[in-house]
Amino acid sequence: MPHRRRKTPEPEDDNDDSSSSGATASSHRFGLNKRARININGDASPRSSSPLLPDGYLAKPNTSTKNGGSGARREVEKHQPGSIVRVKLTNFVTYTSAEFFPGPSLNMVIGPNGTGKSTLVCAICLGMGWGTQQLGRAKDVSEFVKHGCQEASIEIELAADPERHTANPVIRRNIKREGNKSQFFIAGKVATQKLVLDLARSFSIQIDNLCQFLPQDKVCEFAALSPVELLHSTQQAAAPAEMIEWHSNLKDLRREQKVVQAHLAGGKENLASLESRHQMQRADVERLKERAAIQERLRLLQKARPFAKYREARNRHTEAKKTKKNAQAALKELEKEVEPSLRAVNAKEEYLKLVNEAVKDRKRAVDRAEATADNLVTKQRGMDDKLKDLDMSLDAEKNGDKTRKRDLGRVEAIMTSYKRQMDVEPVEIDVASYNEHRREKERAMAELRMKRDAVKESENTIGNRVRDNTEKIERARIELDSLESQAGQQGNKLRQISRDTAIAWDWIQNHQDMFEKQVYGPPIMECSVNDQNYVDAIEGLFQNNDLLAFTCQTRNDFKTLQQQLYGAMKLGEIVLHTVSSGLERFKPPASEAEMRRYGFEGWAIDYISGPEPVLAMLCGESRLNQTGVVLRDISDQQYSALEDSPISSWVTGKQSYQITRRREYGPGATSTRVRNLKKAYVWTTQTVDPSAKRDLQDNIRGWNDEINDLKQQANDVKLQLQALGNEFNDLKTEKERLESEKADKQKANAELRALPTKLEQQEEKLAQLKIAGEAVRERIEQIEEEKDNLVLEKGQVALDYADAVGVFRQAHMELLQAEHVLIEATSDVQVLQERKGAVKEMLEAKRREVTQIERDFASLNNTAKELLLQCRKLLEEAEGTIVNDFYSSLPEGQTSDELETEIESEKARLELVHEGNPHALQEYEARQIKIDKLQEKVQAAESKLEDFASSINEIRELWEPRLDELVKKISDAFSISFEQIGCAGQVDVYKDEDFDQWAIQIQVKFREHEQLSILDSHRQSGGERAVSTIFYLMALQSLARAPFRVVDEINQGMDPRNERMVHERMVNIACQENTSQYFLITPKLLHDLKYHPRMTIQCIASGEYMPKNYQDLDFGRCVDIMRRVKAAG
């Protein structure tokens, strides 16, 4: 049976650094070339005039045509302002040097995977000033610098706007790897990123709008746009700026309107509640007002008490004033009657005062005389203390002189000793001999130390060997134990198949904490076959790489593991896979009943167990979920049925089958590959390998014997070290004895040499002691002289004290005489006072009476004044004329008792009126204020809502018709595109009360029996969504304000029929006159697609055979060769 060899598809990666150093992008348009290039022969003529291909395939098209040729079309067809005229790349991603010349209409960028098609898209985005977030690839712009280079350059030339520019603007961006920095230039001058973005936006370039710029890694993001986001992107791409502003204003106004409506509803609800409570409380409030009036009158009556009291106090004050006047007149009359008797008593009292003053003067004289005598006694005692101090100083000087004399004798004895020592001969010492003996000991000690270090090194070596052998024994025992377990057997198999993979697995098990999620080991270790009967069939489905692959669950873990294993550990034969989803997406191609009908017992995935991520990886790599398994052979009828079934691989008996179908070549284009199954090795259950076990046991015995020998050597080394240590200590003791003996002799000679100096010092000390003796004698004489003078002074003080005692005696006698006269005068005054006592008593009684009357009058006067002040204060504090009128209306002659009676009457009235809620009135008045404020707020809110409604209607009348018109044009173009492929589609605007919920609704129908349904990720397949996406983007082509649009690999996932029809529709739309520039990037194209002369084909080629200078490549010559080959065939 014929079959084809299966080839594992290469991963698609436009950023593969493994591309060659040179890359070439050829810019061609069938029938029109952007610019001619000179071939290697120096001419500009085409290589061939073969009619097999149009002239535009040549690198140097025929430009000699003057009338009606491509040159004429070139002059008519021009780039629109802002479209891309040229792109030049240097050291950017895969490109060492490349230059693109896009056409003004549709640009088809084609080339194999990994050549750098999407790199052109990245260059347009980054070169225009946008960031890497618009691409969904690398995070840092420095990662776009070609591997091995330090700087990259992007240069983009835009078509000029004749009204603003005299030449095409040229933007250049230099990217430096170090520091992740960029530098921008406009027309060769340094510019900021903001200036570059402003220039791009001035042409309505919107790289951040997926409707204009849809890179490869953002296709799924565009499909995931919500209808609301799609409306926003559509307006940005096709609507004028005022429509976007109107929509934004409508959303803002509606949000503010909703806030005001919510506040208005709450305000009205609160207002109704307050008014209802207000009406229910009105009767209570009326009663409270009556009670408040009574309370107010009661309060005023109570405050009026000072007025009544003031009137009473004023009457009593008038009567007291009359009484005071009469009493004062009676007192004066009595004083006139007793005046002669009192005058004699007063004279005698004056005499008594004079005598009393004389006694006081005599007492002061006695005190002065006594103080003078006391001072002299104190002075005499001070002189006695000074004499004692001088005696003590004299004794101290004499004692010090005795000490000096003893020191003098001791110094003279020391001097005599020094003189005798100076007569002794110095000790002889041979310093060189001592030094030589010490050096000999040190050399011997150094030799012993070196021997000891060598022995210690030997001891360390023996210890290291013992430890190494111990570790080897431990590892061997662990390995011996592992031979007995299933995991150990699998680990041995892994080491036999790939030692690098086993090392990597050991490292991963010890460093799982370095990863975001668990990293799984090779299927050899993680998986097992459930039934050993199927082990040959299951294991035969895998290549070695599948069994050795590690499984990561996140992209970051993949990068971490890649850097560690490839970079840090330098391991080869490592296979890494990333799985981000589980087994749920790997569905069988047929139901269980259909599977049984085809003769299968189950799917391959049913017979293998392991972690879900590992099984998902195996399904993705080996399609276990799509491979049927049966232990017997199937019948011819079952085989024929399988050829037309969705099942493309199965295992029967001892063989595996793989069917390859090529739909583009017709229903019969199939090939089948058959392979014989090998005997399973990885997941088989085997007994322990006896030879491996025996080898490990022999190794352990050998290492133990070597350890015993090493321990004996270690004991010998310890004895040798002990002997060396004892010998070293003996040498050290002898060396210390020599050094001590030498030091003692050197010290004795040094002391002998120092004797003259010491003798001079003692002589100086002796002289100082003699000088000190003279000073002591002088101080003793001075002290004795001071004592003599002090004794004479003390005698004079004694004489003065005797005189002071005489003065004191005389003063005391005079005091006694004065006190005798005072006694006599006092007696006379007492007799006169007793004789006139009755008169004085009567006079004092009268005076007390007058004084009491005056006091009573003053008290009444003060009381009346205080009451008057209280009345005035009450009048000043009165709350308006009502209170003043109340105080004025009080009866003039009303007494306090009458006022109290009226107060009690009002209190009785107050008790008859029920009190109720004491806070009801305050609540009523406060609520009335709230009601007034709420009514004002409600009126203001209603007015504001009218303004909002007016503004919304005004803007909506401008925006909504133009939006409907725009969406209708998009829908018409969208519907026509779907009609071209036999399907149906339309675009509507979903309208909501909230303008931020308005959205684009795309409805499609891909089958006749279906109804139009909204486009989403649940109803339509990936290919159907891709068709809908490209048709929607094409519908925007004639409406878009942007000068160019980019779509990267949108045709991936389409079947050939849809891809062909979509391509034809795209050519018809994108190649119309006066449309914007269009870039379509794709790695593959079907044969016999529609071609239009306005198209430009950008063919990307790269590889090891590319010249270093892309300008050396002659595509015309390549096409010429192709023409000749086809003509010859």
Side-chain angles (χ1 to χ4, degrees), residues 853-869:
I853 291 173
E854 290 175 348
R855 288 174 182 171
D856 293 341
F857 174 78
S859 176
L860 288 172
N861 188 36
N862 292 334
T863 301
K865 287 181 179 180
E866 290 175 1
L867 291 171
L868 179 61
L869 290 175

Side-chain angles (χ1 to χ4, degrees), residues 836-853:
K836 301 295 183 181
V839 176
K840 287 184 64 178
E841 182 63 28
M842 183 177 60
L843 184 61
E844 289 300 325
K846 194 63 176 178
R847 286 175 178 170
R848 285 194 298 271
E849 180 184 356
V850 172
T851 302
Q852 184 61 43
I853 291 173

Side-chain angles (χ1 to χ4, degrees), residues 345 348-349 352 824-834:
V345 176
K348 200 64 176 177
E349 287 177 350
L352 180 60
E824 292 178 348
T826 302
S827 177
D828 295 340
V829 169
Q830 288 178 353
V831 171
L832 291 174
Q833 288 178 346
E834 290 175 0

Side-chain angles (χ1 to χ4, degrees), residues 735-747:
K735 174 192 170 188
E736 291 174 351
R737 185 192 64 78
L738 289 172
E739 289 176 345
S740 176
E741 183 178 340
K742 174 188 171 184
D744 292 341
K745 290 182 179 181
Q746 287 177 336
K747 180 179 179 182

Side-chain angles (χ1 to χ4, degrees), residues 338-386:
V338 300
E339 183 178 359
S341 301
L342 293 177
R343 189 180 299 116
V345 176
N346 292 337
K348 200 64 176 177
E349 287 177 350
E350 287 296 329
Y351 173 72
L352 180 60
K353 289 179 181 180
L354 294 175
V355 174
N356 195 18
E357 289 296 328
V359 170
K360 291 178 180 180
D361 290 340
R362 301 290 172 86
K363 284 183 178 181
R364 284 193 290 271
V366 170
D367 293 339
R368 284 195 297 270
E370 185 178 8
T372 301
D374 291 340
N375 290 336
L376 291 172
V377 170
T378 301
K379 187 175 181 181
Q380 192 174 25
R381 290 173 180 171
M383 289 178 177
D384 291 339
D385 293 339
K386 286 184 179 180

Side-chain angles (χ1 to χ4, degrees), residues 12 14 110-117 1049 1082-1084 1099-1102:
E12 179 176 343
D14 287 349
I110 61 175
N113 287 330
T115 54
K117 302 181 300 302
E1049 299 193 14
T1082 178
K1084 65 181 182 65
C1099 183
I1100 309 290
S1102 67

